[in-house]
Amino acid sequence: MDSALLLLLLWALTATASPQSSGSCVRLQGGEKRTRTCSRNCKSDAECGSKRQCLCDGQCGLSCVAPGRTCPWPLPLSETSEIRLLSPTPSFSALLEVRCKPGFTLPDGLDVTVRRCQGDRQWSGDEPICTVSEPPENTPAQTCPLPEEVINTFSIHGEATVGTSIRYSCLSGAEIVGSRENFCQENQTWLHPHPVCKKLFCQPPKEVKEGYVVAIQKAEYEVGFDIHYLCKKNYLLDGPQKITCLSNGSWSASPPHCRARCVIPAERSRVVIGGVKRWPFDVTDAMVPHGENVTFYCKHPKKQCSFTAAQTCFDGKLQTPQCYLEPTWLQYKLFPHRLVSEIESCAPGDVE
Ligand SMILES: *[C@@H]1O[C@H](CO)[C@@H](O)[C@H](O)[C@H]1NC(C)=O
Ligand SMILES: *[C@@H]1O[C@H](CO)[C@@H](O)[C@H](O)[C@H]1NC(C)=O
Ligand SMILES: *[C@@H]1O[C@H](CO)[C@@H](O)[C@H](O)[C@H]1NC(C)=O
């Protein structure tokens, strides 16, 4: 308790005990028991007989009391408070201090109260009970200001309290320009200015030959924008069908390619395409798609048998293997059964 407040309370209590003027015999605000025995009221000592005096007895007002009467003393020891007599004797109008031990408080939140010895030989007020005090309310931590626009622009990691750091990341995923980290200083100001989010755009991607872009042509594309690709007829999409503008201004991937089909570079020889041995003229357009493997038959240099050699179609280019020899028209017409693709295949040991 504030010492000035205690003094004031002492003054108030002693003032009420003073018999000099009835004007000062005023009731204390709430301090005393509501139900107490009051002695006979009086205006002067003459009304009180020889053993009593007309004295101010707190709530009772001027009453006939025996000044020699004492209140209970010593009082039982308490675990939660210290009781101290402030007057030489525990007689009428003596004062008693009840002070809660550290960590304890009275129901009114104070840690000390003063009781007065009343005319009914009781100490004034309710029996003071000190109870464990509530932990002091956490004083709000000092913080550095985060303006609305900063909160709306960034996701902030960390507390904006004095002595700590925060990290920013742009809510839009855009690039941060400035310091990504900031420190809340003792005087509640930030060490650095807040950064800004730079909105990034993707530049138009490269054109795809033989392909179509399925998107509106723009000078620049916003983050998250998708571009879809299609290839012209007979061209095969090699790469992503869709690319997305990333928050760092790059496309999620390079544009795809549209790969051309290959003409099968054989006419009078059967080839293996997709596991099936067939005449090139039986294949649609005599072409294979990009990436297709075509297996050719070659003649063994010395023996009358064939072995195979594969080539892959890449974007319109498909070459015959070096060992392949295109049969002549005569060979094809006159001796179809002797064509290299039709003779028996060499035994595994025949081929070097
Ligand atoms: C706050 O403290 C920092 C470092 O101590 C100082 O540079 C800055 O000027 C202070 N700002 C204000 C507004 O007092
Ligand atoms: C953009 O981000 C992607 C994925 O996070 C990354 O692969 C690419 O390298 C970045 N591009 C630039 C220019 O930083
Ligand atoms: C063609 O052959 C290569 C190598 O043998 C193989 O990796 C690829 O999958 C084949 N392509 C097709 C379309 O079968």
Side-chain angles (χ1 to χ4, degrees):
M1 182 195 263
D2 190 64
S3 59
L5 188 58
L6 184 59
L7 278 176
L8 191 67
L9 184 58
L10 282 172
W11 173 82
L13 284 162
T14 46
T16 56
S18 151
Q20 275 80 0
S21 114
S22 62
S24 69
C25 186
V26 285
R27 197 188 143 195
L28 271 181
Q29 288 287 332
E32 304 195 1
K33 264 185 197 160
R34 242 157 252 113
T35 53
R36 52 164 293 203
T37 327
C38 289
S39 307
R40 181 153 53 87
N41 283 130
C42 57
K43 288 201 173 69
S44 68
D45 289 348
E47 298 171 43
C48 298
S50 56
K51 287 187 183 142
R52 296 178 176 226
Q53 285 176 269
C54 188
L55 296 172
C56 184
D57 190 10
Q59 207 177 0
C60 293
L62 281 171
S63 316
C64 293
V65 294
R69 292 181 122 190
T70 55
C71 286
W73 184 259
L75 289 172
L77 285 175
S78 161
E79 299 224 324
T80 59
S81 59
E82 311 266 10
I83 304 166
R84 191 159 66 95
L85 198 60
L86 300 175
S87 308
T89 58
S91 55
F92 177 73
S93 84
L95 297 177
L96 180 78
E97 180 198 79
V98 179
R99 182 177 290 274
C100 294
K101 288 185 178 171
F104 295 88
T105 48
L106 289 164
D108 59 6
L110 301 176
D111 60 359
V112 67
T113 188
V114 172
R115 303 178 80 185
R116 191 179 59 85
C117 181
Q118 300 173 155
D120 62 355
R121 309 177 68 176
Q122 298 299 317
W123 295 103
S124 65
D126 293 322
E127 176 75 31
I129 296 166
C130 297
T131 52
V132 176
S133 45
E134 297 287 317
E137 274 190 25
N138 285 334
T139 45
Q142 289 205 302
T143 56
C144 286
L146 279 175
E148 190 101 340
E149 82 227 39
V150 171
I151 290 165
N152 292 342
T153 313
F154 298 97
S155 143
I156 309 272
H157 311 276
E159 298 291 325
T161 51
V162 161
T164 63
S165 294
I166 59 162
R167 278 185 304 113
Y168 306 82
S169 47
C170 293
L171 284 173
S172 58
E175 195 179 48
I176 285 192
V177 180
S179 176
R180 285 170 183 276
E181 212 170 277
N182 216 337
F183 181 76
C184 180
Q185 303 180 112
E186 215 54 56
N187 59 7
Q188 293 180 266
T189 60
W190 293 104
L191 182 59
H192 304 294
H194 296 293
V196 291
C197 289
K198 196 173 123 202
K199 202 171 178 191
L200 293 177
F201 293 93
C202 291
Q203 296 308 303
K206 281 199 312 267
E207 285 193 11
V208 173
K209 262 195 250 163
E210 314 299 343
Y212 308 104
V213 168
V214 188
I216 308 153
Q217 299 285 326
K218 293 184 172 201
E220 53 187 14
Y221 296 88
E222 305 93 73
V223 169
F225 195 93
D226 287 337
I227 287 183
H228 294 260
Y229 288 98
L230 289 178
C231 289
K232 289 182 182 166
K233 191 165 185 275
N234 294 330
Y235 285 83
L236 190 80
L237 189 83
D238 178 15
Q241 197 272 312
K242 180 186 91 172
I243 63 173
T244 306
C245 177
L246 300 179
S247 53
N248 62 6
S250 305
W251 291 102
S252 60
S254 304
H257 297 274
C258 286
R259 306 290 193 186
R261 298 189 298 170
C262 301
V263 173
I264 301 167
E267 280 179 62
R268 301 173 200 123
S269 213
R270 284 206 287 176
V271 291
V272 180
I273 297 164
V276 181
K277 191 173 178 179
R278 44 205 317 207
W279 293 102
F281 52 77
D282 281 344
V283 176
T284 311
D285 299 337
M287 292 182 108
V288 288
H290 166 78
E292 186 64 83
N293 294 325
V294 178
T295 303
F296 297 85
Y297 289 88
C298 298
K299 189 184 167 291
H300 191 282
K302 296 180 187 105
K303 299 188 174 175
Q304 197 60 28
C305 65
S306 72
F307 63 93
T308 59
Q311 291 284 68
T312 305
C313 164
F314 189 93
D315 199 14
K317 292 183 201 74
L318 175 64
Q319 291 183 327
T320 51
Q322 290 226 302
C323 62
Y324 178 78
L325 203 63
E326 176 75 8
T328 62
W329 186 83
L330 275 179
Q331 283 170 322
Y332 171 72
K333 276 289 174 196
L334 303 177
F335 313 105
H337 300 296
R338 291 201 220 152
L339 291 175
V340 174
S341 65
E342 308 308 309
I343 61 176
E344 67 175 322
S345 48
C346 300
D350 292 338
V351 190
E352 283 120 50

